[in-house]
Amino acid sequence: MENSKSAQTRELVLQTALGMFRSRGFAKTTMRGIAAEAGVSLGSAYYYFASKDELILELYRESVAEQRVRASEAMAGVVPLADRLRAAMDAGIDALTPYHAFGSGFLGSALPPSSAVNPFGEASAEIRLEAEAIFAEAIEGAKVPANLRSDLPQLLWLGYMGVVLFWVYDRSQGQWRTRTLINGAAPLIARTLSLARLPVARGLVEDALTLMAKVRP
Amino acid sequence: MENSKSAQTRELVLQTALGMFRSRGFAKTTMRGIAAEAGVSLGSAYYYFASKDELILELYRESVAEQRVRASEAMAGVVPLADRLRAAMDAGIDALTPYHAFGSGFLGSALPPSSAVNPFGEASAEIRLEAEAIFAEAIEGAKVPANLRSDLPQLLWLGYMGVVLFWVYDRSQGQWRTRTLINGAAPLIARTLSLARLPVARGLVEDALTLMAKVRP
DNA sequence: CTCAGCTGTTGAACGTGTTCAAAAACCGTG
DNA sequence: CACGGTTTTTGAACACGTTCAACAGCTGAG
């Protein structure tokens, strides 16, 4: 970690911003407010972060890092695939929970392809790889069709993005619906993977993979 | 259709806006620009549309209506499920194509749950029902597991939303990747539905449906 | 030490979406 | 026509994200 004056200021602005996001929400937090609370000028905040969106990229980065740590811990010594998948997804939602109230607003900035922040885009490629690595770790040691092995982490991450989308819209107490979804989906995925190895499904899986390859940019 | 002076003005503003969205993109089109081009004052535009987002809701409405018409035409006399699904999805992308260039920007306004415009929300419930009806029509006459019948249109619509998301990010010439995806996904879905009727998969499907019910708001 | 160049900092200014109080146009009723 | 009430129109005003030219502070070569 850089320790220069500059890096300290950057960190101060960032942490002030994330704190205000948590307590006040994304939309209600203004760049002027962040700057004032951090004790710097508006222009200074923009010196370190080119846009309000870019602060989200940092949030995304931190949350994935936290997910990875939590997931590794939770998966240690756990063998059944369903449980490992559940651990990976729960860890992600755990890491995001402080932001649920404003997750709504963040989505609007995060998803447009134009935005530098969107999870499928260029700027977040590095973070996405780390997120996929979590799912790669989750399927380690699991019996998985050989032809699926390499694509599976990406597929699981994609599915997990769907879970996150669900979570963003989830208005239930403590987002228990999302937890229920994860609890149910994890074993379903595991069983679907078993099914995928059966002869009846092989052709289907084969074609799906071919399609994915054709369609990938 | 209302024909009063008021309704005419509303329509003028709306069509001016949609036209500018198509030619200039969503972000680059300003409310002031719309008002000026339509020959009304800024305040007047806001009298008819509470926000810029609300103009998107109208776009969404019009595009679904067009999708329905196109889909019905394309499905007339077509029997195989895969072909009917393809027609339904292609019709949707056809209707959206004029907006592809700005689809990116529109996504940011459309997806946040806070927005009145998000496709899963309250305000668009009516439109969503119409969209689901398209897929209900698509599976008419198809052999489908009985327990899936009622949920399937919604599931297909959800999958189609995924396709739209893909389309928004699709930078390929004329979005051929999206077309390839549809061409491949439609038969895959049909075959998966066949597979779902087999004993090996019945338990899986049963559990998935139970999970959906538990998790639905 | 000097001072040129780089790194950080500042707040004014711009264009935006949105709000609102006031004015204008319209309408039905006497 | 007159006039009260409603609908429609208007543009000024506000807060915001973002840009930018100017300024200050620092650092290292001479």
Side-chain angles (χ1 to χ4, degrees):
Chain A
M1 304 293 168
E2 190 70 73
N3 208 7
S4 60
K5 182 83 184 310
S6 173
Q8 269 179 273
T9 308
R10 190 194 138 96
E11 196 60 20
L12 172 65
V13 171
L14 175 57
Q15 293 309 325
T16 305
L18 295 190
M20 289 180 78
F21 287 166
R22 269 187 294 252
S23 61
R24 223 161 305 183
F26 179 68
K28 291 251 185 74
T29 301
T30 71
M31 290 300 282
R32 283 170 180 79
I34 296 169
E37 188 132 329
V40 303
S41 75
L42 180 59
S44 245
Y46 272 97
Y47 179 76
Y48 290 103
F49 301 95
S51 66
K52 204 181 170 187
D53 286 5
E54 208 155 280
L55 286 162
I56 292 186
L57 193 61
E58 296 303 315
L59 159 61
Y60 184 30
R61 191 193 311 281
E62 293 203 354
S63 87
V64 169
E66 188 181 339
Q67 177 183 12
R68 186 157 199 187
V69 172
R70 281 176 185 258
S72 282
E73 266 176 39
M75 291 190 298
V78 175
V79 172
L81 178 58
D83 295 336
R84 295 178 67 87
L85 287 174
R86 185 148 51 80
M89 294 194 277
D90 270 334
I93 297 300
D94 286 346
L96 286 175
T97 292
Y99 300 96
H100 182 265
F102 96 91
S104 325
F106 129 103
L107 196 62
S109 299
L111 273 174
S114 46
S115 155
V117 196
N118 97 71
F120 308 104
E122 186 59 37
S124 52
E126 185 198 336
I127 312 179
R128 185 170 59 250
L129 281 180
E130 184 164 358
E132 286 168 10
I134 298 173
F135 289 99
E137 187 183 339
I139 62 173
E140 256 173 29
K143 260 195 244 160
V144 160
N147 53 354
L148 260 176
R149 257 256 120 84
S150 64
D151 284 336
L152 201 48
Q154 211 164 62
L155 279 173
L156 290 172
W157 174 78
L158 212 57
Y160 168 68
M161 285 291 102
V163 172
V164 172
L165 194 64
F166 183 91
W167 170 82
V168 166
Y169 286 102
D170 187 354
R171 294 248 178 286
S172 65
Q173 193 70 31
Q175 293 80 55
W176 64 262
R177 275 184 223 282
T178 303
R179 301 300 182 161
T180 306
L181 177 63
I182 293 176
N183 282 329
L188 276 176
I189 294 170
R191 283 164 62 196
T192 305
L193 285 174
S194 301
L195 184 60
R197 286 182 299 168
L198 263 48
V200 265
R202 283 210 79 90
L204 209 61
V205 173
E206 207 64 59
D207 289 359
L209 287 173
T210 309
L211 178 58
M212 268 189 63
K214 265 202 296 192
V215 140
R216 215 193 296 262
Chain B
M1 301 298 165
E2 191 70 75
N3 208 8
S4 60
K5 183 83 184 311
S6 173
Q8 269 179 272
T9 309
R10 189 193 137 96
E11 197 58 20
L12 172 65
V13 171
L14 175 57
Q15 293 309 326
T16 305
L18 295 189
M20 289 180 78
F21 286 165
R22 268 186 295 253
S23 61
R24 222 160 307 183
F26 179 68
K28 291 251 185 73
T29 300
T30 71
M31 291 299 283
R32 283 168 181 79
I34 296 169
E37 189 132 328
V40 303
S41 75
L42 180 58
S44 247
Y46 272 97
Y47 179 75
Y48 291 104
F49 300 95
S51 66
K52 204 181 170 188
D53 285 5
E54 207 154 282
L55 286 163
I56 292 187
L57 192 61
E58 296 303 315
L59 158 61
Y60 183 30
R61 190 193 312 282
E62 292 202 355
S63 88
V64 169
E66 188 180 339
Q67 177 184 12
R68 185 157 199 186
V69 172
R70 281 177 185 256
S72 282
E73 266 177 38
M75 290 190 297
V78 174
V79 172
L81 179 59
D83 294 337
R84 294 177 68 85
L85 287 175
R86 185 148 51 81
M89 294 194 278
D90 270 334
I93 297 299
D94 287 346
L96 286 175
T97 292
Y99 300 96
H100 182 265
F102 96 89
S104 326
F106 128 102
L107 195 63
S109 298
L111 273 175
S114 46
S115 155
V117 196
N118 95 70
F120 307 105
E122 185 60 36
S124 53
E126 186 197 336
I127 311 178
R128 185 171 57 249
L129 280 180
E130 183 163 0
E132 285 168 10
I134 297 173
F135 290 99
E137 187 183 340
I139 61 172
E140 257 172 30
K143 262 196 248 166
V144 160
N147 53 355
L148 259 178
R149 259 258 118 101
S150 62
D151 285 336
L152 200 49
Q154 212 165 60
L155 278 173
L156 290 171
W157 174 77
L158 211 57
Y160 168 67
M161 286 291 102
V163 172
V164 172
L165 194 63
F166 183 92
W167 170 82
V168 166
Y169 286 102
D170 187 354
R171 294 249 179 284
S172 65
Q173 193 70 30
Q175 293 79 56
W176 64 261
R177 276 185 222 281
T178 302
R179 303 299 183 163
T180 307
L181 177 63
I182 293 176
N183 281 330
L188 276 177
I189 294 170
R191 283 164 62 198
T192 305
L193 286 173
S194 301
L195 183 60
R197 286 182 300 167
L198 264 45
V200 264
R202 282 209 82 89
L204 209 62
V205 173
E206 207 64 59
D207 289 359
L209 287 172
T210 309
L211 178 58
M212 267 190 64
K214 266 202 296 192
V215 139
R216 216 193 296 259

